[in-house]
């Protein structure tokens, strides 16, 4: 055992020595360079100051002659003013020369005093105060000229970004006391007055001027900042009207303290067609491969008032869909819109089974199918508090067959909803965030609906990251249909509640969970159908660990179900996944396993591939 341990330690030391030698030796046909005595950032800085290896005899002589001066400059820039260099040159006639450098860094210079002062209007700028409070340089740190230059650069950049165009340094210096190995840093900056944003002009657009003016997120004479201009750029981009946007502050045309801004716009093509081809694998009750073909036609700007339309036609063997939405800007192109929507679609829900008396078991025969036509008018407003407020009226007619009986109820739904998303950052994979959604819909026979119905829904999603690599994602969905007990069969499947799928309980297929009913068909067979419930409660807790900044692993538990008062059955699934944080958002591969068999579902497992931001 001791001999084996000795061999292991010897091998480890040998590998470490070889690694160090490989790190410190540079060679070409003219010169072998061997540097000892420095490591990490010091070694990197020395190598950078020495420059590339020579390519001729003349360059070799110059490289060797200037080596000591370059090393001293490198050491000074890192705060070492008492370094010593031993230089040894071994010349050869037919082989590369060898330059051996042994560097003794000496005692480092430490910062004893940091004095950063700003006068002018920037002195009271909250962003300057925030920047100053976040500086990591402190008395007692080793002097580093690169850090000093970076602080100067940051201060200048902040001043320009905040509109202090006349700012200048009254004093910017490092005083080094080589006897005591200390240094004092002094940065005195006079920002002068802050400039303001002047008139904003637009070119290249056929929209009504008032629509463009509504997109300016600041008032005339607002304090200048690149943040304000960036927000204007985002507002214009979010409209979907333009293919290219340039927001140009005209600093050379300043009028007093007002900086005019010119916005150059390039409209998108009048029409665009987008084709999509895909498949749902394993997300159906019978685990079939379901191909999908989607065609989307967009007209980003129909007229000078900013109207637009989007039409989507999707084909799959059992779930075709046609939906068109016409959008009209009202008081604001983004924050106040009227949407007119019409469509036809067919979908499947739950599980339909027939009892086999021979093996005394239920066999899957399909799902509950429903076809729907709809027409809706929706007003969507974003409030100043960042809440998204909707109210709508929707006319729908849905046809389906349940327990051998045909239904085609008509509904006029009046609804309203409130939602808000708060993100800790603006990335597609936020480190923290909170989503909340509340909705209320009402239908009444006196207003054209089949039965009286009140629908309540609420959704929550919470994300937080601990210690940089540990991320928690939790969600909770709750809903209820309040109606007369005798009216349940007249509520169409699209208005009932089901569970299962990648956004619900991941061990089960999409919409396959919920209360069931038994009936006798025309052949005298017992038929069991999952028809959905009046209530829904589904929760999830997921732990994610970042292996690298671009890859993470996850484990989760989902629980809940759709239910009625007389059919309450908790279903749980657990699973794990691997996620790639791509440039277009997370791509997730999750495997869920159901822990419980239900009346209609054996213990299953499902693979889910999803893409997109979680908030």
């Amino acid at each position: 055992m001791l001999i084996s341990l000795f061999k292991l330690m010897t091998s480890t030391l040998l590998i470490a020595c070889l690694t160090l030698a490989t790190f410190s030796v540079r060679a070409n046909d003219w010169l072998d360079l061997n540097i000892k005595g420095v490591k990490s950032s010091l070694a990197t800085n020395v190598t950078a100051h020495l420059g590339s290896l020579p390519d001729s005899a003349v360059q070799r002589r110059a490289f060797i002659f200037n080596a000591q001066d370059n090393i001293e400059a490198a050491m000074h820039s890192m705060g070492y003013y008492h370094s010593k260099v031993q230089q040894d040159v071994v010349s050869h006639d037919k082989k590369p020369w060898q330059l051996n450098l042994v560097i003794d860094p000496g005692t480092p210079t430490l910062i004893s005093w940091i004095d950063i002062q700003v006068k002018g209007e920037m002195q009271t700028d909250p962003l300057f105060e925030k920047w100053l409070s976040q500086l990591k340089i402190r008395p007692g740190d080793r002097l580093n000229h690169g850090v000093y230059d970076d602080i100067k650069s940051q201060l200048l950049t902040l001043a320009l970004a905040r509109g202090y165009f006349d700012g200048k340094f009254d004093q910017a210096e490092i005083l080094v006391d080589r006897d005591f190995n200390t240094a004092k840093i002094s940065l005195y900056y006079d920002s002068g007055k802050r400039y303001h944003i002047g008139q904003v002009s637009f070119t290249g657009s056929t929209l009504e001027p008032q629509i463009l003016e509504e997109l300016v997120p600041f008032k005339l004479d607002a304090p200048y900042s690149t943040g304000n201009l960036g927000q204007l750029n985002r507002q214009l981009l979010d409209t979907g009207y333009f293919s290219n946007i340039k927001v140009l502050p005209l600093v050379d045309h300043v009028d007093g303290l007002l900086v005019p801004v010119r916005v150059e716009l390039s409209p998108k093509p009048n029409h665009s067609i987008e084709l999509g081809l895909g498949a749902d694998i394993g997300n159906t009750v019978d685990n079939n491969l379901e191909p999908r073909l989607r065609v989307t036609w967009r007209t980003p700007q129909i007229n000078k008032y900013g109207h637009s339309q989007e039409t989507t036609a999707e084909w799959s063997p059992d779930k075709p869909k046609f939906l068109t939405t016409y959008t009209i800007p009202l008081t604001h192109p983004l924050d106040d819109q009227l949407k007119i929507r019409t469509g036809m679609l067919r979908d499947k829900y739950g599980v339909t089974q027939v009892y086999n008396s021979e093996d005394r078991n239920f066999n899957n025969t399909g799902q509950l199918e429903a076809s729907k036509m709809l027409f809706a008018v929706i007003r969507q407003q974003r409030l100043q508090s960042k809440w998204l407020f909707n109210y709508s009226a929707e006319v729908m007619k849905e046809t389906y067959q349940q327990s051998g009986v045909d239904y085609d109820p008509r509904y006029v739904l009046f609804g309203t909803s409130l939602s808000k998303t708060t993100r800790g950052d603006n990335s597609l994979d936020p480190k923290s965030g909170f989503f909340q959604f509340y909705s209320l819909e009402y239908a009444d026979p006196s207003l054209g609906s089949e039965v009286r119905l009140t629908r309540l829904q609420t959704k929550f999603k919470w994300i937080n990251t601990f210690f940089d690599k540990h991320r928690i994602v939790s969600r909770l969905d709750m809903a209820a249909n309040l109606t007369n007990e005798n009216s349940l069969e007249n509520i169409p499947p699209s208005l009932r509640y089901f569970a299962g799928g990648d956004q619900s309980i991941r061990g089960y297929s999409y919409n396959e969970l919920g209360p069931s009913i038994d009936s006798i068909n025309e052949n005298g067979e017992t038929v069991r159908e999952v028809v959905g419930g009046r209530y829904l409660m589904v929760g999830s807790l997921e732990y994610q660990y970042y292996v690298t900044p671009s890859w993470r692993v996850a484990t989760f538990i989902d629980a809940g179900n759709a239910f009625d008062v007389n059919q309450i059955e908790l279903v749980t699934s657990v699973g794990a996944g691997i996620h790639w944080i791509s440039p277009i958002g997370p791509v997730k591969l999750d495997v869920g396993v159901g822990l419980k068999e239900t009346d209609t579902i054996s213990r299953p497992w499902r693979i889910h591939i999803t893409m997109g931001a979680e908030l």
Side-chain angles (χ1 to χ4, degrees), residues 330-399:
L330 297 178
T331 61
H332 190 278
L334 292 174
D335 296 342
D336 190 4
Q337 297 176 334
L338 182 68
K339 296 178 180 289
I340 302 172
R341 183 172 295 157
T342 184
M344 299 177 292
L345 58 95
R346 187 165 72 239
D347 208 342
K348 289 186 173 184
Y349 305 86
V351 185
T352 301
Q353 300 177 322
V354 174
Y355 183 72
N356 188 326
S357 58
E358 294 182 1
D359 57 13
R360 297 182 180 182
N361 198 11
F362 281 93
N363 297 324
N364 291 352
T365 60
Q367 295 177 270
L368 176 61
E369 297 185 12
S371 298
K372 181 169 69 172
M373 295 186 293
L374 65 90
F375 177 81
V377 179
I378 307 158
R379 186 171 184 180
Q380 178 178 290
Q381 294 177 291
R382 187 175 302 278
L383 308 179
Q384 289 185 350
S385 57
K386 304 303 180 183
W387 284 90
L388 193 63
F389 174 53
N390 288 354
Y391 54 94
S392 63
E394 178 180 337
V395 180
M396 58 171 286
K397 183 177 182 180
E398 192 160 340
T399 59

Side-chain angles (χ1 to χ4, degrees), residues 417-544:
S417 68
L418 270 174
S419 64
K420 186 177 184 180
T421 301
T422 305
R423 292 181 176 87
D425 54 73
N426 291 323
S427 69
L428 294 175
D429 187 50
K431 297 299 181 184
S432 62
F434 181 56
F435 168 76
Q436 48 188 323
F437 171 84
Y438 312 90
S439 75
L440 166 66
E441 293 176 289
Y442 180 74
D444 195 282
S446 62
L447 300 173
S449 295
E450 190 76 18
V451 298
R452 182 175 290 106
L453 173 66
T454 301
R455 304 187 77 232
L456 304 171
Q457 295 184 77
T458 182
K459 299 179 181 181
F460 303 97
K461 195 166 197 177
W462 176 75
I463 296 175
N464 209 345
T465 303
F466 304 93
F467 309 111
D468 293 334
K469 292 185 177 182
H470 305 270
R471 190 170 186 251
I472 300 293
V473 179
S474 61
R475 57 179 166 84
L476 176 64
D477 297 345
M478 296 184 293
N481 280 344
L482 307 180
T483 188
N484 189 285
E485 182 74 27
N486 299 323
S487 303
L488 294 179
E489 67 273 7
N490 286 307
I491 298 177
S494 66
L495 299 182
R496 304 174 193 170
Y497 299 112
F498 297 82
D502 56 39
Q503 299 299 314
S504 182
I505 303 176
R506 279 168 278 189
Y508 300 85
S509 292
Y510 174 69
N511 276 355
E512 76 171 327
L513 296 175
S516 61
I517 59 173
D518 292 346
S519 61
I520 305 299
N521 65 13
E522 57 188 12
N523 298 323
E525 300 171 313
T526 300
V527 178
R528 175 167 291 170
E529 296 175 282
V530 174
V531 296
R534 286 190 292 177
Y535 308 101
L536 175 73
M537 180 177 290
V538 173
S540 175
L541 182 64
E542 180 168 332
Y543 167 73
Q544 302 169 349

Side-chain angles (χ1 to χ4, degrees), residues 174-193:
I174 303 176
L175 295 178
V176 177
D177 187 334
R178 299 196 183 193
D179 294 332
F180 293 95
N181 296 312
T182 59
K184 296 181 180 180
I185 294 177
S186 299
L187 288 174
Y188 299 159
Y189 188 76
D190 183 0
S191 69
K193 292 186 176 181

Side-chain angles (χ1 to χ4, degrees), residues 12-32:
T12 304
L13 289 172
L14 179 59
I15 292 171
C17 292
L18 289 174
T19 304
L20 179 60
T22 303
F23 174 77
S24 62
V25 172
R26 300 166 62 204
N28 71 356
D29 294 337
W30 294 93
L31 185 66
D32 291 346

Side-chain angles (χ1 to χ4, degrees), residues 525-569:
E525 300 171 313
T526 300
V527 178
R528 175 167 291 170
E529 296 175 282
V530 174
V531 296
R534 286 190 292 177
Y535 308 101
L536 175 73
M537 180 177 290
V538 173
S540 175
L541 182 64
E542 180 168 332
Y543 167 73
Q544 302 169 349
Y545 176 77
Y546 287 85
V547 181
T548 71
S550 299
W551 289 91
R552 68 180 178 225
V553 292
T555 181
F556 58 82
I557 179 171
D558 304 327
N561 208 343
F563 56 92
D564 282 331
V565 175
N566 59 343
Q567 283 189 336
I568 301 176
E569 186 175 16

Side-chain angles (χ1 to χ4, degrees), residues 87-124:
Q87 181 172 306
D88 178 43
V89 180
V90 180
S91 61
H92 300 281
D93 291 336
K94 296 182 178 180
K95 292 193 305 183
W97 289 14
Q98 187 170 348
L99 175 59
N100 299 313
L101 298 169
V102 179
I103 304 172
D104 178 10
T107 304
T109 300
L110 303 182
I111 300 173
S112 63
W113 182 262
I114 304 170
D115 189 11
I116 301 176
Q117 297 183 19
V118 169
K119 64 180 181 180
E121 293 187 6
M122 189 175 177
Q123 187 178 13
T124 57

